[in-house]
């Protein structure tokens, strides 16, 4: 199934986003940032498209001041996790502001891959090379679910973050993940997990 980031009417919101902070020693400092308004907390991740161990959530995301940490339960049919649970860690380098309409809130983060416990060469190489990505996010007001599309980018220097990627590119991206807030029943009609509880007691430890 093709999952667009936002409805046609709100796609223009991405074109109005701007980078509002860069990472310093204390993390991202930005009042009203996407990090603060959309993502601070814990979520269950659902992989969109081809099912990956559909009997459980794909991963468990914990977002803190400057760290995006994802715990993946083992899945014998998914190469990076076929040997056991995996933890991936990303530094949050920058955040945009948030733009909203009646139905959606949109924003983006810049991440840098820091570490993985996976034996998979592809994931290990991304972590070793400290690869960067822009995570385009669109939250539905009615369900609270967040669609995420990931765009690979060169890691910028602090003085060129604002020009590194036209954020309007987010509107045309295909979402690969859906995030569901911890402790809530999935209420998104496009989710294969509709009706399931995001229960963090099931996350790998």
């Amino acid at each position: 199934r093709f999952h667009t980031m936002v409805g046609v009417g709100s796609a223009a919101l991405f074109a109005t986003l701007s980078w509002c902070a860069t990472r310093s020693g204390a993390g991202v400092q930005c009042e009203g940032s996407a990090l603060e308004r959309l993502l601070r907390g814990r979520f269950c991740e659902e992989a969109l498209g081809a099912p990956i161990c559909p009997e459980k959530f794909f991963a468990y995301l914990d977002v803190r001041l400057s760290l995006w940490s994802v715990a993946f339960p083992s899945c014998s049919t998914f190469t990076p996790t076929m040997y056991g649970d995996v933890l991936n860690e990303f530094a949050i380098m920058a955040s945009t502001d948030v733009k909203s309409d009646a139905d959606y809130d949109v924003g983006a983060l810049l991440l840098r891959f820091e570490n993985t416990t996976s034996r998979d060469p592809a994931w290990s190489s991304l972590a070793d090379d400290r690869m960067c990505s822009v995570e385009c996010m669109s939250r539905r007001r009615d369900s609270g679910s967040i669609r995420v599309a990931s765009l690979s980018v060169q890691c910028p220097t602090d003085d060129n973050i604002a020009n590194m990627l036209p954020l309007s590119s987010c509107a045309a991206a295909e979402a690969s993940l859906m995030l569901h807030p911890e402790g809530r029943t999935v209420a998104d009609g496009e989710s294969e997990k509709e009706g399931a509880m995001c229960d963090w007691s099931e996350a790998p430890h």
Side-chain angles (χ1 to χ4, degrees):
R1 183 191 301 178
F2 182 82
H3 294 262
T4 55
M5 285 297 295
V6 292
V8 174
S10 56
L13 288 175
F14 280 109
T16 63
L17 287 176
S18 60
W19 294 106
C20 61
T22 59
R23 185 171 181 260
S24 64
V28 171
Q29 303 292 318
C30 180
E31 183 178 356
S33 69
L35 172 60
E36 184 67 37
R37 289 183 55 190
L38 301 183
L39 272 180
R40 191 67 59 78
R42 303 199 297 189
F43 302 84
C44 295
E45 285 193 4
E46 175 185 356
L48 303 178
I52 300 172
C53 287
E55 72 279 2
K56 52 190 172 184
F57 281 106
F58 176 54
Y60 296 83
L61 171 65
D62 186 5
V63 181
R64 303 176 193 175
L65 181 64
S66 59
L67 183 67
W68 172 293
S69 179
V70 192
F72 297 85
S74 61
C75 176
S76 61
T77 58
F78 184 54
T79 301
T81 61
M82 65 187 304
Y83 297 109
D85 300 341
V86 168
L87 178 66
N88 286 355
E89 294 180 326
F90 302 79
I92 300 173
M93 306 299 292
S95 175
T96 67
D97 53 2
V98 174
K99 300 298 183 183
S100 305
D101 65 9
D103 300 309
Y104 294 95
D105 303 307
V106 305
L109 294 182
L110 172 66
L111 303 184
R112 186 179 66 202
F113 207 154
E114 296 287 311
N115 184 56
T116 182
T117 61
S118 177
R119 302 181 191 176
D120 179 60
W123 279 15
S124 297
S125 177
L126 290 172
D128 290 343
D129 293 342
R130 299 290 182 91
M131 298 300 292
C132 285
S133 62
V134 170
E135 305 301 316
C136 310
M137 301 172 295
S138 170
R139 180 175 65 187
R140 284 183 55 168
R141 293 277 188 87
D142 56 354
S143 68
S145 62
I146 302 173
R147 285 157 179 77
V148 181
S150 183
L151 303 176
S152 295
V153 298
Q154 287 190 332
C155 292
T157 58
D158 286 348
D159 59 358
N160 74 354
I161 282 180
N163 299 316
M164 71 176 191
L165 181 81
L167 285 161
S168 57
S169 300
C170 286
E174 182 178 357
S176 59
L177 294 174
M178 194 181 297
L179 308 181
H180 306 292
E182 176 190 18
R184 292 173 57 177
T185 300
V186 177
D188 194 302
E190 293 186 10
S191 170
E192 298 295 335
K193 297 291 187 182
E194 187 178 16
M197 172 66 71
C198 174
D199 183 359
W200 252 71
S201 68
E202 301 174 356
H205 297 288

